[in-house]
Amino acid sequence: MRELVVLGTGSQVPSRERTQNGYFLRWDDDGFLFDPGEGTQRQMLYAGVAAGAITRLCITHFHGDHCLGMPGIVQRLSLDGVPHPVRAHYPASGQKYFTRLRYAASFYERAELLEEPVEEDGLLSVGSFGQLWARRLEHSVDSFGYQLIEPDGRRMLPDRLAAHGIVGPAIGRLQQTGSLEVDGRTVRIEDVSESRPGQRFAFIMDTRLCENVLRLAEDADLLVIESTYLSAEADLARRFGHLTARQAARVAAECGVRKLVLTHFSQRYQEPERFLSEAAAEFSGEIVVASDLSRTSVPTRR
């Protein structure tokens, strides 16, 4: 299963309609928790996301609406006795904030939380999920966006397999070795399959428009991006290091995004349809205006 569970969508302060930020990406057997703002632990209960589902914690920056829920999450990992290590990525310049949040209160630490701070653009980790990248954004404090890239694979074609007499366990052997001898003939995996592009996910929070926004969003199947303001407040967005819904949608259009998720809304706005109409003027693909506790699937493979 690959889906995004939206735990909170509000910027700066919570409101009656929106909890502070929080996003859980379920990607096969991995679970990425992004930017746990205040109230994230309770939102996880409502959403049915167990602490044990978290394998990585990714924080874009250390403004409170993106990290003040971290103490509860960290302690819940130990309270629930999560048996696997959880890796934490965050701006290295905010190490003192991470340490304060990690040990904000007394608790019996049983879970293994591995600190892997981000110092510069680049590849953070490689695993069964593919590659996890980070790129620096432009905000008032150090901020990084995250990108998940699954390597390209191959899609086996049943008609071609049958035509070459490859069935059952022989299919698995062919996938492992790349070629197989069948009745005196060598059958290559390219003869019975086609290229299958890997999927991509991008997570972009507080930032002005910059080159790395485009690099993160490139060819994303699912792009989660802040749209704090509408274009009427573009000057405010630029001044405080944020994007408008129109800018976010233009990024999606230019970068070949398949599904666009807008979030991180200023409390000044009460009508989510305004974000949809502004984004739709720039991007013709699928647009989701995120709401608390909503779910959206990663688009099916191409």
Side-chain angles (χ1 to χ4, degrees), residues 155-167 191-194:
R155 182 182 292 110
M156 305 305 287
L157 302 174
D159 56 337
R160 295 190 189 175
L161 287 166
H164 285 83
I166 300 175
V167 296
D191 299 328
V192 293
S193 65
E194 63 184 7

Side-chain angles (χ1 to χ4, degrees), residues 169-210:
I171 298 175
R173 293 198 300 273
L174 175 60
Q175 290 175 315
Q176 290 176 352
T177 62
S179 65
L180 202 65
E181 291 294 321
V182 181
D183 297 330
R185 295 176 295 109
T186 300
V187 180
R188 301 172 305 157
I189 193 169
E190 292 85 356
D191 299 328
V192 293
S193 65
E194 63 184 7
S195 178
R196 183 198 67 196
Q199 291 192 307
R200 293 189 175 203
F201 169 82
F203 186 81
I204 299 171
M205 284 295 119
D206 300 20
T207 183
R208 297 179 184 88
L209 197 59
C210 62

Side-chain angles (χ1 to χ4, degrees), residues 92-147:
S93 62
Q95 182 65 56
K96 64 180 179 181
Y97 300 118
F98 186 90
T99 302
R100 290 172 186 170
L101 291 165
R102 179 173 182 174
Y103 298 110
S106 176
F107 71 105
Y108 179 47
E109 188 171 21
R110 293 193 297 161
E112 186 178 10
L113 184 65
L114 304 177
E115 299 183 10
E116 299 185 1
V118 183
E119 297 186 0
E120 59 187 6
D121 291 9
L123 179 63
L124 299 180
S125 185
V126 177
S128 59
F129 52 82
Q131 299 176 341
L132 179 64
W133 290 75
R135 298 194 185 279
R136 187 180 298 275
L137 299 173
E138 291 188 9
H139 194 45
S140 54
V141 297
D142 278 356
S143 183
F144 286 88
Y146 295 96
Q147 180 185 42

Side-chain angles (χ1 to χ4, degrees), residues 203-251:
F203 186 81
I204 299 171
M205 284 295 119
D206 300 20
T207 183
R208 297 179 184 88
L209 197 59
C210 62
E211 182 63 28
N212 273 347
V213 169
L214 302 177
R215 295 183 70 181
L216 288 164
E218 183 179 3
D219 295 329
D221 293 277
L222 184 66
L223 168 63
V224 181
I225 187 169
E226 71 124 311
S227 56
T228 309
Y229 295 100
L230 294 172
S231 56
E233 285 76 42
D235 288 342
L236 282 178
R238 189 179 311 108
R239 186 187 317 164
F240 294 113
H242 287 291
L243 297 173
T244 66
R246 187 177 297 277
Q247 287 175 318
R250 193 173 299 139
V251 167

